[in-house]
Amino acid sequence: MKLKFSENARGLSQPDPYIIKAHDGNYYIYATGVDGVHVYRSSALDGVWEHLGTGLQEEDCHEFWAPCVVYEKGRYYMYYSSCRKDCDDMHEQAIKVAVSERPDGGFVYQKTMLKPFSIDAHVVKNGGEYFIFYSTNDYEAARAGTYIVVDKMIDMFTAEGNPVAVVRPTLDEEIFMRDRFRKGQNWHTIEGAFYFRKGDDHYVMYSGNCYQNESYFIGYAHAQGRENDLTKLHFRKHPNDHTYAPLLCKNSEEAGTGHNSVLAENGNYYIVYHARDLDADENKETRTARYRLLTACGHELKLI
């Protein structure tokens, strides 16, 4: 279902939408933007979303990707990646952190947390400690490409520096581009991690390949246990490493379905993701935010 946006958001897109419910009672979505992280606000998930402008900018940077916002002790922490304006190599993207006392904007860059290439941070609190999921590259793997790791956080600005692999490419449907960097090496992509927990069931949702490709999809991996240290869990792709069984992919209404976040509210889970209409111009940025109801039972997630 498409989210409804106000007139001041007409013509705008919302790639990589990250949703939170803030302490002011409003809902916020933070989205990728060339000129900065774009912020939207609504009083209800199914209400009208107002575009508040860019909540974060850096004077000498562009391509602000995949923001994630966390509230801790009266401050909002935004984790995102960007790169220098004089650089067109997106593999120079690096994860950074910015801080604001408000959810609606005013985020100020504080620190570059990780080295390039690092994108798509999801920072979560589990068992009283913070962990960061993100994507990075492995050029030498049998299925070379971008994959997801998790690391402990020492504080809100610092990762421990001992990342552990969570989800790696295993399928041809995860190929981003054939012969991308060298002949005979197909480049795979697993990105857009979103972790959540229900009891002793742990889920990491992710996007496979590229939003412009036919087989672009949302999948997930599952782990079970009481372990709070997320670096010690063993996540397994659902249903297994060798079966393409997307939770969400191109359908009769939309394409480019991917890079989601999840809102948990009143016992329900809502997946918020980007997609484009089937008749949209593929040469333009037309991804908009949509949502579906999500159920979690044991090792299985389902969309309603």
Side-chain angles (χ1 to χ4, degrees), residues 10 20 90 117 131-132 135 166 173-175 178 217 296:
R10 184 180 294 276
I20 67 168
M90 292 301 103
F117 172 69
F131 298 83
I132 181 170
S135 288
V166 176
E173 288 85 358
E174 295 161 351
I175 294 174
R178 296 182 184 275
F217 70 101

Side-chain angles (χ1 to χ4, degrees), residues 43-217:
S43 60
L45 179 61
D46 60 354
V48 176
W49 289 82
E50 177 189 6
H51 182 231
L52 304 180
T54 51
L56 167 75
Q57 291 181 317
E58 292 178 75
E59 183 177 351
D60 297 324
C61 293
H62 69 156
E63 297 292 348
F64 295 79
W65 286 5
C68 156
V69 174
V70 174
Y71 177 82
E72 177 67 20
K73 296 180 180 178
R75 305 174 84 189
Y76 291 88
Y77 296 81
M78 179 184 286
Y79 300 88
Y80 65 101
S81 67
S82 65
C83 58
R84 302 186 319 273
K85 283 183 178 178
D86 61 0
C87 179
D88 293 326
D89 181 2
M90 292 301 103
H91 284 263
E92 289 300 313
Q93 285 273 341
I95 289 176
K96 306 173 181 181
V97 58
V99 176
S100 176
E101 294 183 358
R102 314 188 321 267
D104 59 349
F107 286 89
V108 178
Y109 164 86
Q110 301 292 315
K111 180 181 179 181
T112 300
M113 287 184 56
L114 299 170
K115 297 178 180 179
F117 172 69
S118 55
I119 61 168
D120 296 3
H122 186 214
V123 173
V124 297
K125 194 173 189 178
N126 192 61
E129 293 186 290
Y130 274 99
F131 298 83
I132 181 170
F133 291 83
Y134 64 95
S135 288
T136 188
N137 287 341
D138 187 340
Y139 293 88
E140 304 304 325
R143 286 187 178 266
T146 303
Y147 70 109
I148 293 169
V149 300
V150 63
D151 198 0
K152 281 186 178 180
M153 301 275 284
I154 296 172
D155 55 41
M156 301 302 288
F157 302 98
T158 313
E160 190 174 70
N162 299 305
V164 176
V166 176
V167 186
R168 285 185 174 273
T170 58
L171 300 168
D172 286 350
E173 288 85 358
E174 295 161 351
I175 294 174
F176 172 86
M177 185 183 296
R178 296 182 184 275
D179 304 323
R180 186 179 188 188
F181 293 115
R182 60 176 184 252
K183 188 70 174 177
Q185 184 190 65
N186 298 326
W187 189 260
H188 302 68
T189 297
I190 298 288
E191 61 185 9
F194 189 94
Y195 166 88
F196 73 99
R197 178 176 185 173
K198 183 180 180 182
D200 291 339
D201 290 298
H202 307 257
Y203 307 91
V204 174
M205 305 180 76
Y206 60 87
S207 296
N209 70 62
C210 170
Y211 76 93
Q212 295 170 315
N213 292 345
E214 282 290 308
S215 60
Y216 182 61
F217 70 101

